[in-house]
């Protein structure tokens, strides 16, 4: 799954933050804003990566348009960036980490002590999904004692939680 990250500063009041996130859920649907030239590029992109084994989420039009826009609609650069992303996601086992995170949050599997500390003192939380089905992740960077978290849960657990 692809995360859309939002960094919010610590001065955001809770009510304003909740209202803003509800607004994001309603408004964020990239499919409504795909341009005509992007439809052709998406088809070319899919043709270029048809031999790459990956999850359906990584080959959906929303994800592809984000990569194309990130590289100024340069097809070769977007394909390279996407392939690098797929390799990174496999190396860090992002999909497995996300499934484990959701299972611990829902209680399907017991939460580890490290997970509980990160949930209590960590900087971010998943906050539902946008209209495209992409999870929204909110980080409040200014409220985190990273050195304390690393000391208590370890750098690897912190990295896994933030991925």
């Amino acid at each position: 799954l692809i995360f859309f990250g939002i960094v919010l500063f610590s001065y955001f009041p809770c009510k304003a933050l909740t209202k803003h996130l509800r607004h994001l859920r309603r408004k964020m649907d990239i499919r409504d804003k795909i341009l005509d030239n992007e439809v052709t590029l998406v088809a070319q992109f899919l043709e270029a990566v048809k031999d790459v084994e990956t999850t359906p989420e990584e080959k959906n039009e929303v994800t592809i348009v984000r990569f194309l826009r990130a590289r100024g609609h340069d097809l070769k650069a977007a394909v390279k960036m996407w392939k690098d992303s797929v390799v990174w996601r496999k190396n860090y086992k992002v999909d497995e980490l996300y499934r484990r995170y959701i299972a611990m949050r829902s209680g399907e599997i017991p939460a580890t002590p490290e997970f509980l500390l990160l949930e209590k003192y960590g900087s971010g939380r998943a906050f539902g999904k946008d209209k495209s089905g992409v999870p929204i992740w909110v980080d409040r960077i200014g409220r985190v004692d990273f050195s304390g978290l690393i000391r208590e849960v370890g750098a690897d657990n912190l990295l896994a939680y933030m991925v």
Side-chain angles (χ1 to χ4, degrees), residues 21-87:
L21 291 172
R22 268 195 231 117
H23 168 76
L24 283 177
R25 275 188 181 171
R26 286 192 310 271
K27 297 293 180 186
M28 291 176 57
D29 191 353
I30 197 170
R31 286 177 284 195
D32 294 340
K33 297 168 184 75
I34 294 178
L35 306 173
D36 292 335
N37 67 326
E38 290 174 333
V39 173
T40 306
L41 284 171
V42 167
Q44 292 171 351
F45 189 104
L46 286 170
E47 183 63 29
V49 299
K50 68 180 176 192
D51 58 331
V52 179
E53 289 184 35
T54 185
T55 62
E57 291 88 4
E58 289 175 307
K59 283 190 179 178
N60 72 28
E61 65 184 18
V62 173
T63 302
I64 292 169
V65 168
R66 286 182 174 150
F67 279 93
L68 288 166
R69 289 178 180 174
R71 291 294 170 243
H73 296 98
D74 180 346
L75 185 62
K76 286 183 182 179
V79 168
K80 182 188 178 326
M81 182 184 181
W82 181 85
K83 285 181 177 179
D84 291 346
S85 171
V86 169
V87 169

